[in-house]
Amino acid sequence: MNREEVHVGTGYPSWQLAKAFTTASSHEDPATRRRAEERLHRWEQVVRGMAAGTLTIGSRTPVAGLPAWVTPEVVRGGFATGEAAAGGPLLPHEIATARGAGVPADRHALFRHHLTDAGLAELYALLDGGAYEVALPEEAALLTVAWLLRSGDRDAALTLLEQIHPFADRLRFAPRPVAAPPPSSAGDAVVHRETVGEVHAALDRRRPHRAITAMNEALTVWNPFADELLAHWLKTVESDRFMAGQVESHRFATGQVQSRRVTAGLVGAVDPDGWRERGADLLARYRRLAVVHTLCTKHRRPKENLTILRTALEERVAGRDLTPRLRGLLQHAVDSMVRRRGVPGSPEHTTLREAQAITAARPTLHALAQVLVARLADLPPDAGLPSVDETVAPVTEEEARTGAAAGSEIPDPLRRVVERALSAPIATLVERGVVPSAEVLAELVPQLVAVTTAEAYEDAALRALMAAVYRAFRNRRSLLLLNLEHQVRLEELPWVAAVTRYRSTTKGGGQARVALVRLGELALQGFPGTVLPNPLIQELSALARQAGVDVPFTEELAADIFMGAFSPKFGRAARLAADVLEGTLYERYYGIDYAAVRGLADPDRFAAVCRGRAGDRTGGSWVAANGMMIEQAQILTTHNLAALVHPIGVYPSGGWPELARRAFTTVCRLVTRIHGNPRPLTTIKDAAYAWRQTLFFLSLCGLEDQIAVIAWIQEETRRHPEHVVRRLAPVLTGLRHVLVGGSLDDGSAPNARRLLGWSAAGHWMRSGS
């Protein structure tokens, strides 16, 4: 397919536009409608831009008139809207700067101000004090100009200004001042998932759980009131009949009689003196309670006992006789209440109500969240927590005024929220479950890599600035790209290129190498059997470049936009995998000839091999056909596993056998989810990836360890449900067949199957046969 023939149509944006319109016009939640309206506006920009030709989706410069280094506003799927992320209306800090400088409130005037003596002095102060934030890479440009000028590099500063000046009226090139500099993680390599401020906001957004609050209202307000109504009605019963009712109630409860009537003659009794007056007081109090306590609505339902007792009381207080129907309902309500809970004041009734009171007195998650909100309020909002122990300690006597009883423990759901702000080495966060997945790990790694890569700069102010640029750049959303184009790289930013000469080619390399090995080990040990997400691969690549290690990391390709071609680094990665896996179980299981792979220097030849290995790709969707070809590339390259082993040198602390077992545990967990799943293909694909990792780790074991692990795998499989055993049986048969020297390609093992994730003709594992 020629490059000129590749383009992106408006089908997907139009579909997203329609979805946003439907939500914005019909959703019952105002906040959801508001967010949908924002999405609707952005997708309208996409569709209009594509129609007008001002947007070229699939290009690394999708917006006409904007160079690649400008951060575009990107919506779902990698579609640029046509707006620059650093554009739009002035932010509050920009307006404040303009007011303080006495210049017009527009970006061009602000740009000129920052180049005056007063403006540069402000930038110098930010450089020295570090009290600034770079949310988008562009916001570091003028700080870089200031650093260059102060360092005497006027030519580099002027060159940078020439590159960014054409956009001075549109984009923010100055940082955002903050109250205090962010804490440095240099030296201790600690990171945090969220800041204290973010956790504080998340806890403060928690609203009371309506169902729990309604239940507590029923236990503390309406149940006691119902008891009072019941006791009031029971006073209409003559003493001997009431006692007889109690005896009959006891005999019924113990099975001595079958009658259900426990308060005989209730409604026919004469009202005692003052009974109607006290009834009127009860009705008046009900009306007051109903105005204040509105969460529990059970007392308003016509068929509820409390409603029947109240309705009957209203009739008697008003001097009206009860209708036969209401008399019967009243008799049944009183009988059932006494039978179920006992007479108010009796031992069994008192025990029940005391237990319910204890339940209602327990602090709600909302009340405990407010305790945590108060504890976090006085801490630096832009930092993490060195320890969470004090924050999640039991409620104190002083804090009990918030509605949570003193001594109440902070429950796990709230502890987990607080732990997201814990500052600690990444390995510690993984061990404690604060980092639950490889995707979350990838979100945290830029904090570490930013500091590591910035170590190459000698000047402390420049080092802090470049670390801030790195973190901001990693927040840049990826574009949808075609024709093997690559995303914009950090060094393409003009202000980063301007200070390249101040970057040491030797300093920081050793630290980067250590961080690279540790991160690789953490990724494999923390989440065995899980695909390495593309953001994590980006960070590994950055560390490898800083460490001077030439290693071809390969991203996971999207099957729905794959154009049937691979970049040259895929062939390099396959040749590197040959160095690690030639002659191993992995090579035999997947039927690879790694000796021939070593000759795949041409990307077209590599693509042809993957296409041939994918086999018959007809009979299904073109996405599945693409997925089959991409999967073969991942098999040949091991999708970065071989690169981590060699030349990086990753070795798990528990050894390869243990990692193989843990990866297979992931296989079983995923296969368990296939049964009864109406859309299992994604799960099957993930299971095949976990199985591929299992085989890779197993191939690095010695023969004796391989035999022991395979025996364990067979035993582990038997511990799972029958449908899991049935689906994995042909896979394990194939593994045993290959282990003894057989092949899965010659038909010598008819009951064996090679587990692959993609299939154009429907996957055999869906039915397990």
Side-chain angles (χ1 to χ4, degrees):
M1 184 178 292
N2 296 326
R3 290 172 61 99
E4 293 77 15
E5 297 175 340
V6 178
H7 66 279
V8 177
T10 59
Y12 181 80
S14 298
W15 177 58
Q16 292 290 342
L17 181 66
K19 283 178 56 181
F21 176 80
T22 301
T23 304
S25 59
S26 62
H27 202 280
E28 65 276 5
D29 180 44
T32 302
R33 290 199 304 271
R34 184 169 57 253
R35 292 191 296 269
E37 288 169 359
E38 294 172 357
R39 292 197 303 274
L40 177 64
H41 172 68
R42 290 194 290 269
W43 283 110
E44 284 176 339
Q45 290 178 297
V46 173
V47 173
R48 283 199 302 266
M50 294 178 69
T54 57
L55 281 178
T56 307
I57 304 300
S59 168
R60 67 198 305 267
T61 54
V63 183
L66 291 183
W69 55 262
V70 173
T71 305
E73 182 184 64
V74 179
V75 291
R76 185 172 184 175
F79 285 76
T81 67
E83 298 293 329
L90 265 65
L91 298 183
H93 76 273
E94 295 178 286
I95 297 173
T97 300
R99 186 182 299 116
V103 300
D106 65 72
R107 290 221 164 89
H108 202 271
L110 282 169
F111 188 88
R112 293 195 304 269
H113 161 71
H114 286 301
L115 298 179
T116 64
D117 290 342
L120 285 171
E122 294 171 3
L123 294 176
Y124 294 152
L126 291 177
L127 281 171
D128 293 334
Y132 62 86
E133 178 186 19
V134 177
L136 293 166
E138 288 86 338
E139 295 173 355
L142 285 172
L143 273 179
T144 307
V145 170
W147 187 89
L148 289 167
L149 289 174
R150 191 168 66 174
S151 300
D153 197 344
R154 184 178 178 83
D155 289 342
L158 291 176
T159 300
L160 175 55
L161 285 172
E162 288 177 1
Q163 291 176 279
I164 65 176
H165 183 267
F167 308 96
D169 60 337
R170 300 176 57 184
L171 305 181
R172 292 190 302 277
F173 286 121
R176 311 177 186 206
V178 295
S184 172
S185 61
D188 52 11
V190 299
V191 297
H192 50 268
R193 186 174 173 184
E194 293 181 3
T195 64
V196 168
E198 290 169 335
V199 168
H200 178 278
L203 290 169
D204 201 32
R205 284 195 299 269
R206 294 183 73 100
R207 302 273 72 86
H209 194 292
R210 184 176 180 86
I212 298 297
T213 308
M215 180 193 73
N216 288 340
E217 183 180 278
L219 295 179
T220 58
V221 177
W222 297 115
N223 283 1
F225 183 76
D227 293 341
E228 291 187 62
L229 278 181
L230 175 61
H232 189 67
W233 273 111
L234 288 175
K235 289 179 182 178
T236 66
V237 182
E238 294 176 354
S239 176
D240 58 340
R241 289 184 176 177
F242 177 59
M243 292 303 296
Q246 284 189 307
V247 171
E248 187 176 4
S249 176
H250 173 74
R251 293 174 64 199
F252 174 78
T254 57
Q256 298 178 36
V257 296
Q258 300 300 316
S259 172
R260 294 179 177 272
R261 177 62 56 85
V262 297
T263 52
L266 169 70
V267 297
V270 177
D271 297 344
D273 292 340
W275 185 88
R276 294 193 181 188
E277 290 76 8
R278 289 192 296 274
D281 291 341
L282 282 172
L283 294 174
R285 187 147 63 85
Y286 169 79
R287 289 188 288 271
R288 293 193 297 271
L289 291 174
V291 170
V292 176
H293 303 284
T294 59
L295 294 175
C296 178
T297 59
K298 188 176 180 180
H299 62 93
R300 302 181 187 274
R301 301 172 190 168
K303 295 183 180 181
E304 291 295 329
N305 289 335
L306 190 155
T307 304
I308 294 171
L309 266 60
R310 175 177 55 80
T311 303
L313 183 60
E314 289 172 345
E315 294 296 304
R316 290 284 280 266
V317 168
R320 294 187 291 268
D321 292 334
L322 303 184
T323 65
R325 180 178 181 277
L326 183 55
R327 186 181 297 113
L329 290 173
L330 174 62
Q331 187 72 62
H332 181 271
V334 173
D335 286 348
S336 63
M337 292 172 74
V338 172
R339 184 174 61 251
R340 290 174 59 191
R341 289 179 286 272
V343 176
S346 65
E348 63 268 27
H349 186 278
T350 301
T351 300
L352 172 65
R353 292 308 189 209
E354 288 176 349
Q356 291 177 341
I358 292 173
T359 298
R362 292 172 184 162
T364 63
L365 284 179
H366 176 259
L368 294 171
Q370 291 306 303
V371 171
L372 297 176
V373 166
R375 292 176 177 178
L376 294 171
D378 297 330
L379 300 177
D382 297 323
L385 291 171
S387 172
V388 299
D389 294 342
E390 184 175 346
T391 305
V392 297
V395 177
T396 65
E397 292 287 349
E398 183 179 357
E399 293 170 330
R401 292 176 296 180
T402 64
S408 298
E409 298 283 344
I410 303 299
D412 287 343
L414 296 182
R415 292 177 67 96
R416 287 193 290 268
V417 176
V418 175
E419 284 184 337
R420 295 206 296 258
L422 176 63
S423 286
I426 291 184
T428 301
L429 299 183
V430 172
E431 181 181 351
R432 295 184 61 158
V434 179
V435 178
S437 67
E439 287 74 19
V440 174
L441 175 65
E443 295 173 4
L444 295 183
V445 170
Q447 298 180 51
L448 172 64
V449 179
V451 174
T452 303
T453 57
E455 284 297 310
Y457 297 95
E458 296 283 351
D459 183 82
L462 182 58
R463 189 161 57 243
L465 176 59
M466 289 298 106
V469 173
Y470 189 95
R471 288 190 293 268
F473 182 74
R474 283 304 186 226
N475 289 330
R476 174 174 172 145
R477 296 187 64 177
S478 297
L479 287 167
L480 170 62
L481 297 179
L482 303 175
N483 304 311
L484 301 182
E485 291 200 37
H486 60 79
Q487 302 289 338
V488 173
R489 298 189 174 100
L490 179 69
E491 53 270 21
E492 293 182 69
L493 304 182
W495 44 97
V496 174
V499 295
T500 299
R501 59 181 293 192
Y502 300 98
R503 180 183 178 88
S504 171
T505 58
T506 57
K507 184 179 180 181
Q511 183 178 352
R513 180 61 183 262
V514 172
L516 177 62
V517 173
R518 287 180 177 174
L519 180 57
E521 291 175 347
L522 185 61
L524 294 188
Q525 294 181 170
F527 313 101
T530 302
V531 65
L532 299 180
N534 285 349
L536 182 58
I537 293 172
Q538 291 177 356
E539 303 306 327
L540 291 168
S541 298
L543 286 173
R545 288 194 297 272
Q546 173 66 14
V549 180
D550 184 17
V551 56
F553 285 106
T554 58
E555 298 81 7
E556 184 175 22
L557 304 178
D560 56 348
I561 60 173
F562 179 61
M563 306 312 300
F566 298 94
S567 64
K569 67 180 177 181
F570 279 82
R572 289 182 56 211
R575 294 192 294 275
L576 187 150
D579 294 339
V580 177
L581 294 170
E582 188 171 7
T584 65
L585 177 67
Y586 184 98
E587 181 185 38
R588 298 196 306 274
Y589 180 88
Y590 286 111
I592 303 171
D593 182 358
Y594 269 127
V597 167
R598 295 181 188 279
L600 297 178
D602 184 357
D604 290 337
R605 289 188 59 197
F606 179 80
V609 169
C610 292
R611 190 176 298 109
R613 287 179 55 83
D616 184 6
R617 298 185 296 151
T618 61
S621 70
W622 57 271
V623 175
N626 285 348
M628 293 171 67
M629 189 170 170
I630 292 171
E631 183 174 29
Q632 291 303 320
Q634 291 181 332
I635 290 173
L636 292 176
T637 64
T638 71
H639 195 58
N640 304 298
L641 297 180
L644 290 175
V645 173
H646 173 73
I648 292 174
V650 165
Y651 186 83
S653 58
W656 298 116
E658 174 61 21
L659 214 51
R661 292 186 181 94
R662 294 180 60 203
F664 184 72
T665 301
T666 303
V667 174
C668 293
R669 174 170 52 83
L670 291 167
V671 173
T672 301
R673 298 177 182 174
I674 298 173
H675 188 67
N677 187 346
R679 297 180 179 85
L681 295 181
T682 298
T683 304
I684 292 173
K685 180 168 68 72
D686 292 341
Y689 187 90
W691 177 244
R692 191 157 70 244
Q693 280 207 11
T694 302
L695 290 175
F696 178 84
F697 301 143
L698 193 57
S699 296
L700 299 183
C701 302
L703 179 60
E704 185 176 336
D705 284 334
Q706 285 183 359
I707 295 173
V709 171
I710 292 175
W712 176 89
I713 285 175
Q714 294 180 122
E715 188 63 32
E716 176 68 13
T717 304
R718 296 190 190 101
R719 295 179 56 251
H720 287 78
E722 186 276 334
H723 63 86
V724 175
V725 176
R726 186 177 69 252
R727 285 184 167 89
L728 288 177
V731 179
L732 299 186
T733 298
L735 175 61
R736 292 191 297 270
H737 182 67
V738 172
L739 185 66
V740 297
S743 170
L744 296 181
D745 296 316
D746 59 7
S748 57
N751 296 324
R753 286 185 180 271
R754 181 181 288 139
L755 178 54
L756 301 174
W758 288 91
S759 174
H763 205 286
W764 61 268
M765 194 173 262
R766 295 188 67 165
S767 61
S769 59

